[in-house]
Amino acid sequence: MHPMLTNAVKAARRAGNIITHASQDVGALKIRSKTYNDFVSEVDHAAERAIIDTLKDAYPTHGFLGEESGNSNEEAEYVWIIDPLDGTTNFLHNFPQYCVSIALMHRGQLTQAVVYDPNRNDLFTATKGRGAFLNDRRIRVTGRTKLQESIIGTGFPFRDFTHLDTYLSMFKDMVKKTSGIRRPGSAALDLAYVAAGWFDGFWEIGLSKWDIAAGALLVQEAGGIVGDFEGNESWIDTGNIVAANPKVFAQILQTITPHLTPELKSPARG
Ligand code: IPD
Ligand code: CA
Ligand code: CA
């Protein structure tokens, strides 16, 4: 394993232990609402601190972009992108679908990824150019060729309803054109499931960098494609993301294209 990935795994497991310990008594946690329907608990903060302390120890000059602590040393050559607990709402309801997500960006390129599910003890990892793994076994996206036979993951809008109507019209089409839609509630795990071949594809509007950085590299290293709603590169900045095996990717784009508003198209370059 690449040494930087080894350290990221160490950090993710530490965060996972904090989360698992806290899950035994969620009622005792201090919870704050950041904005409407956006909750953060002391566990999110403690897990992020453990990740950053672990990585800072190993790499004192690296930068960090963490959901809870924001940016530090963002101009650094290496920047770690961290979601210490993806699926907080699930966690707070004892719904066992949440994870730790850690990615490394090197000069604008994603190079390392860890998504760790402490409930199932599933450790998804990838290093750019070296493939994607689940608990040390190589994983690949599905070979399914028809959207109609596919299971697709997604996320519903739940705190920002700007694009709710657009989303619902996409959803209506997608429901009819697939074998089924799933909304488990952790975007990082949804992407890991595409990489593992448990979903054939995934789409969601307006995610944040920390939700998708690690999962996207997993999908790419598992042979899948990641793009924005026109198949371009803006997904990492806009959070408008489609990820799937190559055949299904094209069919998801075809299905959502008729519904795209100007704000959901790729931003003009330059
Ligand atoms: C959320 C989850 C969810 C997605 C939301 C994210 P959080 O992350 O990934 O699946 O639909 O948009 O914000 O807030 O639990 O870290
Ligand atoms: Ca998240
Ligand atoms: Ca989070």
Side-chain angles (χ1 to χ4, degrees):
M1 193 181 271
H2 190 286
M4 287 186 176
L5 188 60
T6 305
N7 280 310
V9 167
K10 190 166 144 193
R13 286 201 189 274
R14 277 192 184 157
N17 287 341
I18 292 171
I19 293 166
T20 300
H21 185 73
S23 72
Q24 282 148 30
D25 193 2
V26 169
L29 295 174
K30 280 193 218 96
I31 299 163
R32 189 171 63 79
S33 169
K34 290 197 268 193
T35 54
Y36 176 75
N37 263 351
D38 191 2
F39 299 100
V40 59
S41 73
E42 53 191 303
V43 179
D44 300 62
H45 285 286
E48 183 158 315
R49 218 170 305 124
I51 294 167
I52 294 181
D53 286 352
T54 305
L55 293 171
K56 234 184 197 153
D57 246 17
Y59 309 112
T61 61
H62 287 191
F64 293 91
L65 170 62
E67 177 173 14
E68 310 307 340
S69 53
N71 258 318
S72 75
N73 196 12
E74 196 195 0
E75 302 306 314
E77 191 183 336
Y78 291 93
V79 178
W80 293 93
I81 304 175
I82 300 158
D83 191 336
L85 174 51
D86 185 53
T88 297
T89 305
N90 284 345
F91 171 78
L92 293 176
H93 289 257
N94 289 312
F95 186 80
Q97 180 77 5
Y98 44 81
C99 69
V100 179
S101 174
I102 303 175
L104 179 62
M105 184 84 102
H106 180 221
R107 296 190 175 143
Q109 292 245 359
L110 291 167
T111 54
Q112 311 289 346
V114 180
V115 170
Y116 177 54
D117 173 348
N119 285 300
R120 298 170 56 110
N121 200 20
D122 280 344
L123 181 74
F124 299 90
T125 55
T127 295
K128 192 174 172 57
R130 295 198 196 170
F133 295 81
L134 165 56
N135 299 331
D136 300 327
R137 296 180 74 157
R138 187 85 193 251
I139 49 175
R140 287 177 210 285
V141 294
T142 59
R144 208 159 273 117
T145 56
K146 295 188 180 123
L147 184 60
Q148 192 65 64
E149 293 169 2
S150 297
I151 289 193
I152 305 296
T154 189
F156 310 141
F158 64 101
R159 53 185 166 228
D160 174 358
F161 300 112
T162 317
H163 301 293
L164 181 61
D165 289 337
T166 308
Y167 177 81
L168 291 175
S169 64
M170 289 175 177
F171 183 82
K172 210 167 162 185
D173 247 6
M174 206 73 101
V175 163
K176 292 187 224 154
K177 292 189 176 164
T178 60
S179 240
I181 312 276
R182 301 288 182 269
R183 199 292 190 239
S186 160
L189 275 181
D190 294 339
L191 288 163
Y193 287 11
V194 174
W198 301 346
F199 281 159
D200 301 291
F202 169 79
W203 99 102
E204 189 164 338
I205 297 177
L207 287 166
S208 297
K209 269 199 179 104
W210 46 77
D211 299 316
I212 53 181
L217 183 61
L218 289 171
V219 172
Q220 290 167 338
E221 287 300 320
I225 301 186
V226 179
D228 64 18
F229 294 157
E230 295 188 290
N232 297 318
E233 293 296 317
S234 84
W235 56 271
I236 188 79
D237 297 313
T238 60
N240 300 328
I241 186 169
V242 176
N245 84 36
K247 286 272 182 333
V248 169
F249 181 83
Q251 294 166 66
I252 294 177
L253 288 190
Q254 268 171 23
T255 308
I256 64 178
T257 297
H259 306 288
L260 291 181
T261 56
E263 306 87 72
L264 292 178
K265 295 191 170 168
S266 310
R269 282 165 205 248

